[in-house]
Amino acid sequence: MTVRRIFLGAIFAAFFFQTAWAALTFPVLTGRVIDEAGIISKTTNQTLDQILHDFETRSGNQVVVVTLRSLQGTSIEDYGYQLGRHWGIGHKGKDNGVMLVVAPQEHKVRIEVGYGLEGILTDARSSSIIHNSILPAFRAGHIESGVVQGVKEIVSVFSAGDSLPSTNSEFEGQKISSLETDASLPFKEAIIATIVLVLIFGVYLVSVFFPRPVLSNRGEGTGDDPNIPGGFDGDEGSGGSFGGGGASGRWY
Amino acid sequence: MSQFSRYWWIIALAIITLFVAGGINSIPTLEQSVQASWSQVENNYQRRMDLIPNLVETVKGYAKFEKQTLTDVVNARANATKITISADQLSNSAAVHQFEQVQSELSSALTRLMAVSERYPDLKANQGFLALQSQLEGTENRIAVARKDYIESVKQYNTVVTTFPGRIWAWIYGAQQKQTFKAAEGADKTPAVKL
């Protein structure tokens, strides 16, 4: 019973801290295509979902498509990486997530690339996909086909003979992923110390003194469920993080 | 007599709280977080500096009349490479401000360079230039994200180090407040300016 109370207390504190930090609201992650703006038809949605599901099964990378009703006054770059971190797209440690973010109201589009994939889906390639494939379709009024084309091109970047990101440990070096893991160890020790204290004191006072360091993964997924490829089981990704890599574009 | 024993129990609780919950573990953890986020800031600024030689060469080929702008970028970059900060200097506000200053000057020089490039259609159509431009934009975005992460991690660290009971542990550890960044860098968004 005390263990659950610690757990709840830590969750409460972490949630409080998280909502205090991020003033933006994010749509719920319901699957691989989150059409908040309501611009994607059912058939297209299914097509995209199939492509993305297959891609994740083959490569292990998580790609999602999200259309937004509004950017809430911020830039698509600022919104994008926070959304990616909030959802935890990509696998923890590998950070192999990609998001195609479309904001029809502001006429902005962005390919947000996780830390681990920046070496393959480079900024230049993302920019090229946006300017050569996506924007021309968008400008002609064909948003859906622009999205589908963009997704196909993103997926094809990975099968064009490049080695899969899981073997590219050199790109991991660009991010301090080892420190990320280390930061979670002291935290676990802190939980043990907390359990000791809880026998004497209340849970909530203690959770105030153990803040989560910034670079630990937010939105940690519930782990990889073997029955659902990629760990997409409900409303969380698999704990991947983002650092602002990718490219954006706008159409008029 | 029963009041006295109750009183002692509270003191014992207070001592235990101070001892275990007062930052014995959170200060090193948060310090690690600050250093990790600082590393990320440095990596991204370095990445930007690595892009510049190619960029200057490419622009030079098309924009022969922009010597001053190009020279400014080269000089600003040279100044920026001279100022580096090691993780243990992060409490030194003068050092951190100086670092910010040179990077900010480099940002301004780059903004001017990209603005000038807009006037040369041949340059804008060059695939190499477009690739560099997108890499530069990506890097500027990464810098912005890394700065935000750093500011946040410093805020968490400073809060523990300056409030009770973390202050006591800060004194024991000899931990000082870290210097945060002053404000969002003026040119931290995409430097491609539309004329």
Side-chain angles (χ1 to χ4, degrees):
Chain A
M1 191 191 89
T2 35
V3 177
R4 198 208 285 165
R5 287 184 72 202
I6 301 163
F7 187 67
L8 286 174
I11 294 286
F12 176 80
F15 186 70
F16 173 76
F17 198 89
Q18 201 162 315
T19 50
W21 177 75
L24 301 168
T25 58
F26 304 114
V28 178
L29 180 68
T30 49
R32 294 168 209 275
V33 181
I34 300 92
D35 185 23
E36 198 195 37
I39 55 173
I40 297 180
S41 68
K42 206 168 177 190
T43 33
T44 308
N45 194 315
Q46 284 168 347
T47 310
L48 287 171
D49 192 77
Q50 193 61 48
I51 297 174
L52 298 172
H53 182 102
D54 288 345
F55 179 62
E56 181 168 2
T57 310
R58 282 199 324 267
S59 69
N61 304 324
Q62 280 182 354
V63 180
V64 299
V65 172
V66 50
T67 71
L68 300 168
R69 259 186 249 128
S70 156
L71 285 174
Q72 299 166 43
T74 189
S75 67
I76 196 169
E77 291 85 7
D78 191 47
Y79 192 94
Y81 86 92
Q82 291 188 55
L83 179 62
R85 285 183 180 179
H86 176 82
W87 281 348
I89 304 299
H91 292 262
K92 186 172 180 181
K94 287 193 199 158
D95 297 324
N96 53 350
V98 178
M99 300 193 308
L100 176 58
V101 186
V102 185
Q105 187 181 270
E106 291 87 353
H107 294 99
K108 299 271 178 68
V109 61
R110 179 167 174 81
I111 296 176
E112 189 75 49
V113 183
Y115 283 113
L117 298 180
E118 287 177 358
I120 299 179
L121 186 51
T122 60
D123 297 345
R125 278 177 176 158
S126 300
S127 185
S128 169
I129 293 173
I130 286 180
H131 288 99
N132 298 334
S133 305
I134 298 180
L135 290 182
F138 281 13
R139 287 189 185 116
H142 304 136
I143 298 224
E144 274 188 278
S145 65
V147 171
V148 173
Q149 193 54 34
V151 165
K152 285 183 179 168
E153 301 235 351
I154 288 172
V155 166
S156 73
V157 166
F158 294 95
S159 28
D162 291 316
S163 46
L164 290 175
S166 53
T167 64
N168 270 334
S169 53
E170 52 172 311
F171 301 121
E172 291 288 356
Q174 288 189 16
K175 174 167 187 288
I176 323 291
S177 52
S178 60
L179 264 170
E180 213 182 324
T181 333
D182 287 342
S184 65
L185 281 177
F187 190 60
K188 279 183 186 142
E189 285 169 27
I191 293 284
I192 293 166
T194 307
I195 291 169
V196 169
L197 196 71
V198 155
L199 296 174
I200 305 159
F201 226 47
V203 176
Y204 293 100
L205 269 169
V206 169
S207 65
V208 169
F209 294 117
F210 288 96
R212 265 163 109 202
V214 168
L215 287 188
S216 70
N217 273 308
R218 299 173 184 280
E220 284 180 18
T222 49
D224 292 313
D225 184 335
N227 298 319
I228 300 159
F232 247 96
D233 52 348
D235 62 343
E236 277 177 331
S238 306
S241 190
F242 291 77
S248 315
R250 63 175 302 166
W251 75 100
Y252 300 98
Chain B
M1 180 62 183
S2 59
Q3 267 185 330
F4 195 79
S5 54
R6 217 182 298 140
Y7 188 57
W8 269 108
W9 192 74
I10 290 167
I11 286 190
L13 272 174
I15 291 170
I16 291 163
T17 313
L18 236 123
F19 196 86
V20 185
I24 184 176
N25 198 48
S26 58
I27 288 183
T29 307
L30 292 175
E31 170 134 43
Q32 219 177 11
S33 177
V34 167
Q35 289 178 354
S37 53
W38 176 257
S39 267
Q40 201 65 355
V41 167
E42 275 190 312
N43 282 348
N44 286 318
Y45 274 126
Q46 185 59 49
R47 187 182 185 138
R48 178 169 76 167
M49 290 198 279
D50 292 343
L51 285 173
I52 290 172
N54 263 347
L55 185 63
V56 166
E57 277 312 300
T58 308
V59 173
K60 212 190 261 183
Y62 287 83
K64 299 185 201 351
F65 306 103
E66 309 296 345
K67 258 200 134 171
Q68 190 55 55
T69 316
L70 288 164
T71 311
D72 287 347
V73 169
V74 170
N75 289 341
R77 180 184 180 273
N79 285 342
T81 50
K82 287 189 209 139
I83 312 288
T84 54
I85 306 233
S86 60
D88 45 309
Q89 284 180 281
L90 292 175
S91 297
N92 182 341
S93 67
V96 175
H97 284 158
Q98 195 186 27
F99 180 84
E100 264 198 296
Q101 184 64 29
V102 289
Q103 293 296 344
S104 178
E105 280 163 8
L106 179 52
S107 297
S108 301
L110 277 169
T111 305
R112 283 196 303 275
L113 179 63
M114 299 315 280
V116 142
S117 305
E118 292 287 315
R119 289 191 222 128
Y120 295 86
D122 287 348
L123 176 61
K124 289 212 289 178
N126 178 289
Q127 289 302 315
F129 175 76
L130 289 172
L132 282 167
Q133 187 180 42
S134 63
Q135 283 177 307
L136 185 60
E137 286 170 7
T139 305
E140 293 286 359
N141 192 43
R142 284 188 189 80
I143 288 170
V145 170
R147 285 173 63 98
K148 278 180 83 174
D149 286 343
Y150 175 74
I151 288 169
E152 184 57 35
S153 67
V154 166
K155 187 169 124 185
Q156 287 187 39
Y157 177 88
N158 284 350
T159 302
V160 168
V161 157
T162 54
T163 58
F164 191 82
R167 283 179 71 176
I168 298 176
W169 285 103
W171 174 70
I172 293 172
Y173 280 122
Q176 293 169 296
Q177 281 197 73
K178 308 276 184 199
Q179 178 61 44
T180 189
F181 285 134
K182 277 199 135 156
E185 214 186 76
D188 63 76
K189 292 292 182 233
T190 157
V193 176
K194 285 170 185 47
L195 294 170

